Amino acid sequence: LMLATSTYITTDIVAMPLLWVLPLGLYLLSFSIAFADRRGPADFITSVAPITIILFGGVMICGFTLEPALGLLLALALLFMVAVALHTAMYRLRPAPQRLTGFYLAMSVGGALGGLFAGLIAPGLFDWTWEYPLLILAAGALVPQSILLPPLQALWRRGRGIPALAVV
């Protein structure tokens, strides 16, 4: 998602030298927040990430081009929220200290495969930056849905399953 965001903002929003540094910096900052000892910021961002994906992701998928600076900020905010939420989920799934080397190796291999897809496969496969909206949809499916699920479960239990299904 970080590479797809970089490609999207430098090709579709504004072409500016060294703009790729902003998504990279936010991505690395998300690791610092997600793997920190103080869990407050990471837990808060993870809880509001589904709403951010619905709002900002919908705007970005629809191709917001009216105000380039606002589009840039929305894309960067979306990347940061998703990265913190997904890295926090990885933090919660981390293994015992004896197996951390394999865990970090698997994370690195996953990042390399994602980079190969975004850098080599996607440009040859797609005629536009289609990987960006596809990855936003994938992030929406992977981010913990802790803030959205309880209200939908309450609707389902009250016999209003069809409206809950329509909301989903």
Side-chain angles (χ1 to χ4, degrees), residues 18-19 36 68 83 90 95 99 125 134 151 158 161 165:
L18 296 175
L19 191 59
M90 269 194 325
R99 299 182 59 213
L125 190 62
L134 290 174
R158 287 187 210 140
L165 188 59

Side-chain angles (χ1 to χ4, degrees), residues 47 49-52 54 140 144-154 167-168:
S47 68
I51 295 170
T52 305
I54 290 171
Q145 306 292 328
S146 60
I147 198 167
L148 294 178
L149 288 181
L152 292 176
Q153 288 174 341
V167 169
V168 171

Side-chain angles (χ1 to χ4, degrees), residues 57 116-118 133 153:
L116 284 174
F117 175 76
Q153 288 174 341

Side-chain angles (χ1 to χ4, degrees), residues 1-167:
L1 185 61
M2 189 262 310
L3 291 173
T5 301
S6 297
T7 302
Y8 178 76
I9 64 175
T10 56
T11 58
D12 293 354
I13 295 181
V14 60
M16 191 171 115
L18 296 175
L19 191 59
W20 58 269
V21 173
L22 294 175
L24 177 62
L26 290 174
Y27 179 77
L28 295 174
L29 179 64
S30 73
F31 271 110
S32 298
I33 292 171
F35 283 83
D37 288 334
R38 295 181 58 210
R39 304 302 317 145
D43 291 340
F44 174 73
I45 291 172
T46 301
S47 68
V48 298
I51 295 170
T52 305
I53 293 172
I54 290 171
L55 296 177
F56 293 177
V59 169
M60 298 314 295
I61 287 174
C62 291
F64 183 73
T65 58
L66 296 176
E67 184 63 41
L70 184 59
L72 175 68
L73 289 175
L74 289 177
L76 292 175
L78 179 64
L79 170 67
F80 181 70
M81 298 294 273
V82 167
V84 170
L86 292 178
H87 291 153
T88 300
M90 269 194 325
Y91 173 81
R92 290 185 180 133
L93 294 173
R94 73 192 184 285
Q98 298 83 4
R99 299 182 59 213
L100 280 178
T101 303
F103 174 71
Y104 289 121
L105 179 64
M107 280 178 45
S108 300
V109 169
L113 290 175
L116 284 174
F117 175 76
L120 298 177
I121 297 170
L125 190 62
F126 302 129
D127 61 347
W128 182 70
T129 54
W130 287 106
E131 66 271 17
Y132 186 60
L134 290 174
L135 288 169
I136 291 172
L137 292 173
L142 292 173
V143 165
Q145 306 292 328
S146 60
I147 198 167
L148 294 178
L149 288 181
L152 292 176
Q153 288 174 341
L155 281 175
W156 193 266
R157 286 189 192 122
R158 287 187 210 140
R160 297 185 182 105
I162 301 300
L165 188 59
V167 169

